[in-house]
Amino acid sequence: MKDREILLIVTSVILTLIFSNLSLFLKSFSLTPFASPEIKQAARQIEIDGFRKSEQDFWSKIKDINFDSLPKKSEIPPIKTETKAAALPQKPAKKLTPAKPKLTRPYRKFLFIGDSVMFDLGIQLQYTLKQKYNIADTKIDYKVSSGLNRIDYYDWYARTRKVINDYQPDVVIVLFGANDPQDITDFQGKSRVILTKEWQKAYQERVEKYANILASSSVRKVYWVGQSIPNKSWYLKAFPIMNDIYKNASKSSPKIEFISTWDTFAQAGKLVPVVADKSGKRGYVKNNDGLHFTSHGAQIISDLIIDKMASDKILKAPKKKSL
């Protein structure tokens, strides 16, 4: 009795499982060795029918979508991406530092070259440079009766090279001419009569050669002082021609500057024997020969040159010591 009841219970459970999910039962039973080919075919058909039903459900959902309501491609906001450059910290711009002004080496050594007229002038230049600018390193190199005409008497070319090389001046002040109005022998060995065109050409060659020596030297600045007005007619005729030659030769180099003194003692084309200096003091400016300066005249020409050097920033007044 009990066995029969158990069999009924088991049968009921099996039937319940079969009818509750027949497709699952057939697929499971078709995998067992007891399933017949018909049962396996039935299980396969059930699997296909299930797939078709899922496919139909998918396309039904696709048909229900309103594609007109979807945003267009142009309406989709772009996705912002940070570039590597943006992620890197920006380097601050370099500040431009102003260039430092170049320091100018002071002019401390002064050389005065020329004939005996330069000796009178050089004494006054030395005194003023020492008293007003505290410059004591100066040198006068002169030769009586010399000039650029008679190089055979005194070779200023060789002498100037030597004294510049030995003394190493910053500034050179030149004054020649009082002894040059005489016949000249040019570089070709030909004698030329005073103040002729040939003489002027030969003397110009002498002056230009000397200017080139100064220009190519280590000297930083050259002042070529012209002849002042004399009191003798012969020199009155020669000196203006010679001054023009000095002035033109000075243009060959930016370091050479011509200083005219002709009008300092002149009035109406003649020498004024008594002239006032910067302080108003009056005195004779030339000796009896009309060429050499008195100490008063030398002081006036010296002040003219000193003022020019101060204007060119060659000279700077020393600072006063505070008490």
Side-chain angles (χ1 to χ4, degrees):
M1 181 64 182
K2 289 183 180 181
D3 292 337
R4 185 178 178 182
E5 291 178 355
I6 292 171
L7 180 60
L8 289 172
I9 292 171
V10 172
T11 302
S12 298
V13 171
I14 290 172
L15 291 173
T16 301
L17 290 173
I18 290 173
F19 288 107
S20 63
N21 198 339
L22 178 61
S23 61
L24 178 60
F25 173 78
L26 288 176
K27 284 191 286 185
S28 299
F29 187 73
S30 65
L31 297 175
T32 64
F34 303 103
S36 63
E38 291 79 5
I39 292 176
K40 290 181 179 182
Q41 182 64 31
R44 178 63 178 167
Q45 187 64 40
I46 291 173
E47 184 177 358
I48 292 173
D49 292 340
F51 173 78
R52 286 176 176 173
K53 185 177 185 305
S54 299
E55 185 180 16
Q56 289 176 355
D57 292 340
F58 170 77
W59 285 112
S60 296
K61 291 179 180 180
I62 292 295
K63 290 178 181 179
D64 292 336
I65 296 175
N66 185 3
F67 288 96
D68 294 333
S69 64
L70 295 177
K72 297 180 181 179
K73 183 178 181 181
S74 58
E75 297 176 355
I76 299 175
I79 298 174
K80 294 182 179 180
T81 57
E82 293 185 1
T83 60
K84 292 183 178 180
L88 295 175
Q90 296 293 326
K91 293 183 179 180
K94 292 183 179 180
K95 294 183 179 180
L96 297 176
T97 55
K100 295 181 179 180
K102 293 183 179 180
L103 298 178
T104 303
R105 179 166 55 91
Y107 298 82
R108 302 302 300 174
K109 300 181 74 174
F110 291 74
L111 173 64
F112 314 121
I113 292 178
D115 51 26
S116 57
V117 179
M118 169 52 83
F119 175 76
D120 300 328
L121 177 60
I123 294 296
Q124 293 299 323
L125 284 167
Q126 285 182 321
Y127 177 80
T128 304
L129 288 173
K130 176 62 177 175
Q131 292 297 316
K132 192 172 182 179
Y133 295 96
N134 197 29
I135 295 175
D137 198 347
T138 59
K139 180 180 178 64
I140 302 175
D141 198 83
Y142 78 103
K143 177 67 175 177
V144 175
S145 301
S146 69
L148 297 179
N149 186 326
R150 295 291 304 275
I151 298 298
D152 58 320
Y153 165 70
Y154 193 80
D155 189 351
W156 271 112
Y157 300 146
R159 176 59 188 171
T160 299
R161 291 189 186 97
K162 185 178 187 306
V163 71
I164 289 177
N165 184 63
D166 294 343
Y167 183 56
Q168 293 293 312
D170 296 307
V171 180
V172 171
I173 299 175
V174 176
L175 176 57
F176 288 116
N179 303 295
D180 286 344
Q182 56 181 298
D183 293 349
I184 192 171
T185 302
D186 63 20
F187 289 133
Q188 288 73 39
K190 295 181 180 181
S191 180
R192 304 300 184 182
V193 178
I194 177 66
L195 296 187
T196 61
K197 290 182 178 180
E198 292 78 13
W199 183 94
Q200 294 180 39
K201 181 180 179 182
Y203 190 67
Q204 180 179 342
E205 290 175 349
R206 296 288 179 87
V207 173
E208 288 177 349
K209 181 176 180 179
Y210 191 76
N212 290 334
I213 292 173
L214 296 172
S216 61
S217 71
S218 60
V219 176
R220 299 165 62 192
K221 187 67 178 180
V222 176
Y223 291 98
W224 197 307
V225 182
Q227 290 293 320
S228 61
I229 191 169
N231 64 353
K232 292 182 171 62
S233 59
W234 178 245
Y235 291 104
L236 279 170
K237 184 178 181 181
F239 281 175
I241 296 173
M242 296 165 65
N243 280 340
D244 285 342
I245 292 175
Y246 303 145
K247 184 177 181 179
N248 290 331
S250 299
K251 296 176 182 178
S252 63
S253 172
K255 73 165 62 173
I256 305 177
E257 190 167 352
F258 178 75
I259 297 180
S260 176
T261 63
W262 185 262
D263 295 330
T264 307
F265 306 142
Q267 186 175 349
K270 293 183 179 181
L271 173 67
V272 178
V274 178
V275 178
D277 62 14
K278 292 176 69 175
S279 66
K281 180 182 178 181
R282 295 174 62 82
Y284 286 95
V285 294
K286 291 285 185 79
N287 291 329
N288 292 334
D289 61 7
L291 297 175
H292 292 81
F293 301 121
T294 64
S295 60
H296 182 77
Q299 183 64 62
I300 293 174
I301 300 299
S302 172
D303 288 342
L304 179 67
I305 298 170
I306 293 290
D307 289 346
K308 178 58 180 171
M309 289 194 290
S311 175
D312 292 342
K313 310 299 182 183
I314 300 296
L315 298 175
K316 295 181 179 180
K319 295 181 180 179
K320 295 182 180 180
K321 296 181 179 180
S322 57
L323 298 177

